[in-house]
Amino acid sequence: MQNRPKVVKAAILVEQNKPLIIDEIELPSKLFPGQILVKMLTSGICGSQLGEISGVKGIDSYLPHLMGHEGCGIVIDIGEGISNIKIGDKVILHWRKGDGIECKPPIYSWKGKVLNAGWVTTFNSHAIVSENRCTKVNMNVDNDLAALFGCAITTGFGVVENNAKLKMGESVVVFGAGGVGLNIIQACNLHSAYPIIAVDIFDERLEIARKFGATHTINTKKKNFIEELEKLSLYKKLDIFIDNTGNTKIIEMGYDSINSFGRIILVGVPRKGNNINIFSLPLHFGKTITGSHGGESYPSRDIPRFLNIFNQNIALFKDLITKRIRLEEINYGIELMKQGKTAGRILIDFK
């Protein structure tokens, strides 16, 4: 056990649609079997957390609770039964299950009361994480890159490989070019899709999307999406439409844009109660809609495989990170994301 603290700093969601509260919380005196205590180095902020704060999936019955699901850190303590990880290891923290034990969620204390947390959180300087939410990596792996493997990269690549099942030369639209969207675009490029059309309402995101492999870009604040597809002779002919927005009107538009054997992949989650309205007959003859759950990635298998691509400089990641903040600035970072003032991922630096 290395310098195990009793009190650590964390960002806490106390009330939906309100800023997170930055405060000190108490760690339990002992870890349960299968639990790992990690000193955080870096964490990304994902659009999923914005959805948690705004209540996209409905009323949050676990408030107050900790947040965050992609990060990198150093293991400083382990509970009983751990077989894959030891004290001193560098690990990637991810929300998708990998190898190892699924333990009880940790029990933190805040102001003398129980503070809820799931099997992984990363908006805290030290995190108690289930073994199956950690993947060991070499110490020389870049901390920023490691954090992005917690969600942005594995989800983006998994969407293309596992959900879209992209084939060489197929046409793709990626609607929403944020952190996950940019990795979807990059994975499409690595799989030799053409054309790869990035769509967003912010020029900064579209500019980065071209670096990651987009062959065409459309800013829907300036141009009509359907008209632009018609210019490319692609309306109703697209092979794949990937939506990262959760906007039901965009999903419906995507459904109408793909060909009779086209695939629409839903990565973004519509707000509870917002339903899509489609003519379902084409689903009986080859058209498909698939909901993605983190790209169906399996971190213990996929992280080493994807990491090899980045180690060979075949894939990019530096341009994904467009802002770095301290934990105390997290509400500022969240506001930047809401306003679209940052193009890629915002990273929390705990060092």
Side-chain angles (χ1 to χ4, degrees), residues 32-285:
F32 289 133
Q35 290 183 336
I36 294 170
L37 177 59
V38 179
K39 182 181 186 300
M40 297 301 300
L41 298 172
T42 53
S43 170
I45 305 176
C46 180
S48 296
Q49 279 90 59
L50 273 64
E52 282 184 77
I53 294 168
S54 65
V56 165
K57 296 180 182 178
I59 295 172
D60 191 333
S61 58
Y62 294 98
L63 296 174
H65 63 74
L66 299 181
M67 301 183 73
H69 66 204
E70 67 173 16
C72 168
I74 302 296
V75 176
I76 62 172
D77 197 8
I78 59 175
E80 295 178 359
I82 302 295
S83 58
N84 298 312
I85 292 166
K86 64 182 185 299
I87 292 173
D89 284 345
K90 178 183 281 192
V91 290
I92 291 170
L93 278 60
H94 41 77
W95 65 274
R96 290 281 300 173
K97 293 181 183 181
D99 293 343
I101 298 170
E102 170 131 314
C103 65
K104 295 180 180 180
I107 300 174
Y108 298 94
S109 177
W110 180 50
K111 296 184 176 180
K113 296 182 179 180
V114 170
L115 177 64
N116 292 317
W119 291 280
V120 59
T121 61
T122 61
F123 294 175
N124 30 310
S125 64
H126 296 70
I128 296 174
V129 185
S130 179
E131 182 186 18
N132 67 351
R133 263 60 171 205
C134 292
T135 295
K136 177 183 174 181
V137 293
N138 291 333
M139 292 298 291
N140 62 359
V141 173
D142 186 282
N143 296 337
D144 296 347
L145 175 61
L148 297 174
F149 271 103
C151 177
I153 292 173
T154 48
T155 297
F157 281 46
V159 164
V160 173
E161 286 196 347
N162 302 323
N163 300 133
K165 296 180 172 59
L166 175 67
K167 299 179 180 64
M168 292 175 64
E170 287 191 307
S171 55
V172 184
V173 160
V174 180
F175 220 109
V180 171
L182 290 172
N183 279 292
I184 291 172
I185 291 164
Q186 176 161 230
C188 288
N189 184 44
L190 291 171
H191 282 75
S192 301
Y194 187 87
I196 303 168
I197 305 168
V199 187
D200 209 292
I201 59 174
F202 300 106
D203 286 333
E204 297 89 345
R205 290 182 177 180
L206 295 174
E207 183 179 343
I208 296 177
R210 284 194 173 273
K211 293 181 181 179
F212 280 78
T215 59
H216 301 74
T217 59
I218 302 172
N219 184 325
T220 51
K221 273 192 172 180
K222 300 177 179 180
K223 296 180 179 179
N224 181 278
F225 174 70
I226 301 301
E227 290 178 0
E228 293 302 306
L229 284 190
E230 288 175 340
K231 289 178 184 177
L232 295 169
S233 300
L234 281 173
Y235 183 54
K236 295 189 179 295
K237 295 181 181 178
L238 280 173
D239 295 306
I240 301 168
F241 185 101
I242 301 173
D243 176 67
N244 297 306
T245 70
N247 184 310
T248 55
K249 297 301 181 185
I250 291 173
I251 294 168
E252 291 166 7
M253 184 170 60
Y255 182 78
D256 290 337
S257 300
I258 57 177
N259 62 46
S260 58
F261 291 95
R263 288 95 78 195
I264 181 166
I265 314 299
L266 308 183
V267 182
V269 179
R271 182 174 289 276
K272 186 176 182 180
N274 289 4
N275 300 318
I276 60 173
N277 183 17
I278 61 170
F279 178 53
S280 63
L281 182 62
L283 297 175
H284 297 269
F285 296 97

Side-chain angles (χ1 to χ4, degrees), residues 280-309:
S280 63
L281 182 62
L283 297 175
H284 297 269
F285 296 97
K287 186 177 286 194
T288 61
I289 299 178
T290 301
S292 178
H293 191 241
E296 277 53 51
S297 64
Y298 191 78
S300 302
R301 173 196 64 213
D302 293 336
I303 287 175
R305 184 166 61 90
F306 294 152
L307 187 57
N308 186 50
I309 297 172

